[in-house]
């Protein structure tokens, strides 16, 4: 009994320390360098990869959501988004840029399943290096460090522009939309998916909602969230003629991901413990943000928005 009591006291203490670090030492957005630094650190300490696997994005659980392995759901997300975005019928060799590629999970899936020629880009040198390490050299998939607001690519060079959960890290949403569409060929397809806040027009955020949104911004280096409608307007106002512009909402289909990301640490504790006490504390530090994300997406304060469009041919 004394051993159990000691364990509970230790766990309670660690939770308290984790909560204190979470609140007192947020990861505020201070320009693109702060985003690169945050992802370099998450990649270097291996914690995120240990728990989330190679796909650093939410999973797809169906509608209605079904019980699913956390990592399998992430792979399913790539396939489901490719289908929603109209990419399944494109030929092998289609040139794709994955903007905000993480450690390359989606890039590798698009290359291996569909035969696409994929370039994954991230602002984090650590992520790009890890993506290269995880990628079979025989796969038509490469990676480069680039800023999503200043892609080192020619105009109209890509058949597909793909981006998932990247926009919340970018302050200039219009600049981001402009750059995505700049590199897209006429007749090419844009496919995007992101965390979005509820459209507050006609329904302003109350004090509690503003506090939650602030925590979701400052804890993970987010300057601001778009709404689905506001980012659609950014695409429309880019100056690039578009057709078949459509949006969607997968809040329900992706919602189990937040609880699953916490359960993964409980189900596989040695994946965290084996990285040392620092990793345990870092893991506990993320729990409040994950719980706030769960609450915000479940009540509609946050939405998982989808965007697809074709660039008009001349």
């Amino acid at each position: 009994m004394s051993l159990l009591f000691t364990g509970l006291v230790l766990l309670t203490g660690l939770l308290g320390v984790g909560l204190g670090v979470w609140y007192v030492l947020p990861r505020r957005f201070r320009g693109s360098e702060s985003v690169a630094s945050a992802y370099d650190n998450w990649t270097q300490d291996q914690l995120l990869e240990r728990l989330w696997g190679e796909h650093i994005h939410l999973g797809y659980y169906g509608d209605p959501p079904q019980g699913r392995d956390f990592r399998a759901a992430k792979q399913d997300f790539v396939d489901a988004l490719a289908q929603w975005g109209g990419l399944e019928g494109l030929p092998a060799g289609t040139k794709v840029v994955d903007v905000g590629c993480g450690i390359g999970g989606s890039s590798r899936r698009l290359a291996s399943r569909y035969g696409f020629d994929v370039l994954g880009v991230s602002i984090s040198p650590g992520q790009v290096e890890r993506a290269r390490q995880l990628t079979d050299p025989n796969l038509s998939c490469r990676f480069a460090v680039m800023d999503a607001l200043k892609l080192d690519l020619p105009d109209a060079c890509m058949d597909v522009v793909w981006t998932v959960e990247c926009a919340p890290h970018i302050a200039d949403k219009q600049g981001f939309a402009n750059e995505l569409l700049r590199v897209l060929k006429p007749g090419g397809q844009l496919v995007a998916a992101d965390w979005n806040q509820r459209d507050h027009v006609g329904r302003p955020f109350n004090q509690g909602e503003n506090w939650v949104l602030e925590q979701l911004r400052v804890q993970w280096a987010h300057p601001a969230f778009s709404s689905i409608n506001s980012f659609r307007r950014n695409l429309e106002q880019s100056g690039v003629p578009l057709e078949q512009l459509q949006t969607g909402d997968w809040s329900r289909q992706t919602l189990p991901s937040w609880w699953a990301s916490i359960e993964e640490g409980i189900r596989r504790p040695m994946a965290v413990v084996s990285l040392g006490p620092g990793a345990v504390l870092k893991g506990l530090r993320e729990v409040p943000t994950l719980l706030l994300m769960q609450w915000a997406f479940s009540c509609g304060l946050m939405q998982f928005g989808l965007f697809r469009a074709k660039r008009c041919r001349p």
Side-chain angles (χ1 to χ4, degrees), residues 258-274:
W258 301 111
W259 279 119
S261 62
I262 297 174
E263 291 169 353
E264 193 73 2
I266 298 171
R267 188 172 64 84
R268 300 172 54 245
M270 289 308 299
V272 180
V273 173
S274 63

Side-chain angles (χ1 to χ4, degrees), residues 39 52 55-59 74 77-82 84 87 96-103 105-107 110 121-122 127 148 161-170 176 180 190-196 222 231 250 254 304-307:
Y39 277 104
W52 284 49
H55 292 274
I56 312 300
H57 55 72
L58 301 189
K74 291 165 170 287
F77 174 89
V78 179
D79 297 344
L81 185 60
W84 184 86
L87 306 187
V96 179
V97 61
D98 178 1
V99 181
C101 66
I103 58 174
S106 296
S107 299
L110 292 170
V121 302
S122 170
Q127 284 193 326
V161 173
W162 169 285
T163 182
V164 173
E165 298 176 17
C166 179
H169 289 299
I170 297 172
F176 180 53
L180 294 178
L190 168 73
V191 182
D194 261 310
W195 305 341
N196 301 100
H222 297 140
F231 193 67
W250 276 2
T254 58
F304 195 90
L306 307 184
F307 308 84

Side-chain angles (χ1 to χ4, degrees), residues 28 34 56 61 68 92 98 105 159-160 169 173 195 200:
R28 295 182 182 277
S34 63
I56 312 300
Y61 293 82
R68 195 82 175 91
D98 178 1
D159 301 305
V160 174
H169 289 299
K173 310 299 187 189
W195 305 341
H200 66 283

Side-chain angles (χ1 to χ4, degrees), residues 30 39 44 65 97 111 123 125 128 143 186 199 218 232 236 258 314:
R30 294 184 174 87
Y39 277 104
Q44 184 177 16
V97 61
I123 200 168
V128 168
F143 300 93
D199 198 330
V218 304
R232 180 188 178 113
E236 292 172 334
W258 301 111

Side-chain angles (χ1 to χ4, degrees), residues 42-244:
W42 280 321
T43 304
Q44 184 177 16
D45 66 30
Q46 301 179 42
L47 181 63
L48 192 57
E49 184 180 345
R50 286 283 184 94
L51 293 179
W52 284 49
E54 65 173 324
H55 292 274
I56 312 300
H57 55 72
L58 301 189
Y60 181 82
Y61 293 82
D63 188 12
Q66 305 292 321
R68 195 82 175 91
D69 175 79
F70 183 48
R71 298 191 184 195
K74 291 165 170 287
Q75 185 168 282
D76 289 348
F77 174 89
V78 179
D79 297 344
L81 185 60
Q83 181 180 26
W84 184 86
L87 306 187
E88 287 192 320
L90 298 179
T94 292
K95 292 186 177 300
V96 179
V97 61
D98 178 1
V99 181
C101 66
I103 58 174
S106 296
S107 299
R108 284 186 291 275
R109 183 66 176 175
L110 292 170
S112 61
R113 181 175 175 83
Y114 303 101
F116 296 159
D117 179 16
V118 184
L119 170 64
V121 302
S122 170
I123 200 168
S124 161
Q127 284 193 326
V128 168
E129 177 58 29
R130 184 58 180 150
R132 290 169 177 164
Q133 293 171 359
L134 292 170
T135 302
D136 186 329
N138 296 315
L139 196 62
S140 183
C141 186
R142 62 198 188 283
F143 300 93
V145 178
M146 292 188 197
D147 186 329
L149 289 174
K150 296 178 290 186
L151 296 172
D152 186 18
L153 296 170
D155 294 351
C157 63
M158 290 291 170
D159 301 305
V160 174
V161 173
W162 169 285
T163 182
V164 173
E165 298 176 17
C166 179
H169 289 299
I170 297 172
D172 183 1
K173 310 299 187 189
Q174 187 62 61
F176 180 53
N178 294 349
E179 191 68 351
L180 294 178
L181 295 174
R182 178 187 69 81
V183 301
L184 187 63
K185 289 180 180 179
Q189 185 79 12
L190 168 73
V191 182
D194 261 310
W195 305 341
N196 301 100
Q197 66 185 25
R198 186 189 76 223
D199 198 330
H200 66 283
V201 176
R203 187 184 169 192
F205 301 126
N206 61 38
Q207 185 175 357
E209 291 173 331
N210 275 319
W211 182 85
V212 170
L213 289 172
E214 174 68 5
Q215 295 309 312
L216 298 185
R217 288 191 294 265
V218 304
Q219 296 299 336
W220 285 350
H222 297 140
F225 298 112
S226 300
S227 69
I228 293 175
N229 287 337
S230 68
F231 193 67
R232 180 188 178 113
R233 287 193 295 273
N234 291 145
L235 294 172
E236 292 172 334
Q237 295 169 7
S238 68
V240 174
L242 300 174
E243 59 184 1
Q244 301 175 30

